[in-house]
Amino acid sequence: MKNPSMVMLRRNFKHIARNPTSVFNAVLMPVVVMLMFVYMLGDAFSVGVPYVDYATPGMLLLAVCYGLGSVATSVNSDMTKGIINRFKVMDVPRGAVLTGHVIASLMTNLIAIAAIIGVAFALGFNPSASFVQWLGVIGIVVLLGLATGWLTVALGLFAKTPETAGLASVPLIMLPFFSSAIVPADKMGPGVKQFAEYQPFTPIIESLRGLLNGSAATGDLLAALAWLVGIAVVGYVWATSTFKKRA
């Protein structure tokens, strides 16, 4: 008998791959944003290092966030259009339905991350990370994908319609622009600067930046791991409890 989680993963990944809008938002849009900021606008920013070296860690986070809208919409469509009832008749485990969405989202994230890193090297990206530090980058990216994936699944289950589910994920997509992803937080205006310094994505980006530069700060790494684990736990508990109530 096939593993139900693998069946759900294959189903969701096929849905993403066959939807041109989802592929564009999840993989191509982050590349377009990176080309716009680095190739077209990079000379306008003074960050003390080549702009592609500064911007690439933030673009990795953007690549994870850009595909979240389609995940929330897909989860809500499953919930509101009757497919969950069919899965119940087919005796598909409840956990497999949610896990399939999260892992499919993570796989899409990794494809987008690979595309961003490839474009970054083409634009002159020159990291000084060791092999162990690259493993640290991969670990943070995977944990980020799982944390945002579970939170987005929860948002998709909580929303009443697919349209509101897509809208509910917009704050996660916009939050990187109010962090240190594009420019350092100390170059922002009053209010925005303080928000950027203390919001969860900034220590995650600074940890990726430090690892890629070969000089990660312990404080940033601890803050990033605390935020990622916290978001993952909240998202998982919220998603599973909401699914039990509605399914």
Side-chain angles (χ1 to χ4, degrees):
M1 181 178 178
K2 294 182 179 179
N3 186 307
S5 294
M6 293 303 297
V7 173
M8 291 296 105
L9 168 61
R10 188 164 60 249
R11 166 185 177 268
N12 294 320
F13 195 70
K14 283 183 178 179
H15 284 184
I16 295 172
R18 291 173 179 174
N19 186 332
T21 302
S22 295
V23 173
F24 179 82
N25 288 336
V27 180
L28 297 181
M29 190 63 185
V31 171
V32 171
V33 171
M34 181 167 189
L35 289 172
M36 182 176 70
F37 275 102
V38 175
Y39 189 70
M40 296 174 60
L41 304 175
D43 290 341
F45 300 113
S46 176
V47 293
V49 296
Y51 190 67
V52 65
D53 290 343
Y54 179 86
T56 296
M59 295 300 161
L60 298 182
L61 192 141
L62 276 170
V64 172
C65 292
Y66 261 100
L68 298 179
S70 60
V71 177
T73 302
S74 178
V75 171
N76 190 272
S77 295
D78 280 355
M79 182 58 67
T80 58
K81 294 184 177 179
I83 192 66
I84 296 297
N85 291 331
R86 292 186 61 186
F87 288 153
K88 290 166 68 177
V89 173
M90 296 164 65
D91 198 26
V92 175
R94 292 184 175 187
V97 177
L98 301 186
T99 303
H101 279 292
V102 173
I103 301 302
S105 172
L106 177 61
M107 291 178 63
T108 307
N109 293 157
L110 294 177
I111 293 172
I113 292 292
I116 286 291
I117 291 177
V119 172
F121 276 115
L123 294 175
F125 182 46
N126 185 28
S128 53
S130 65
F131 176 73
V132 173
Q133 288 166 331
W134 271 108
L135 290 180
V137 170
I138 294 171
I140 289 178
V141 167
V142 170
L143 190 52
L144 174 65
L146 291 173
T148 55
W150 277 112
L151 185 59
T152 305
V153 166
L155 290 171
L157 292 170
F158 184 74
K160 299 299 182 184
T161 66
E163 290 77 14
T164 55
L167 189 62
S169 65
V170 169
L172 286 174
I173 298 170
M174 294 302 299
L175 208 53
F177 290 100
F178 297 92
S179 69
S180 63
I182 308 299
V183 295
D186 59 11
K187 292 183 178 293
M188 299 178 180
V192 180
K193 171 186 174 182
Q194 286 74 19
F195 179 80
E197 287 177 339
Y198 295 105
Q199 65 123 313
F201 284 171
T202 292
I204 298 170
I205 293 169
E206 292 304 319
S207 295
L208 292 171
R209 186 170 287 135
L211 288 168
L212 290 169
N213 291 337
S215 58
T218 303
D220 286 333
L221 285 171
L222 292 176
L225 291 175
W227 275 114
L228 289 170
V229 172
I231 293 170
V233 170
V234 169
Y236 175 80
V237 172
W238 187 14
T240 52
S241 61
T242 304
F243 190 70
K244 288 178 181 177
K245 292 177 182 176
R246 298 192 62 183

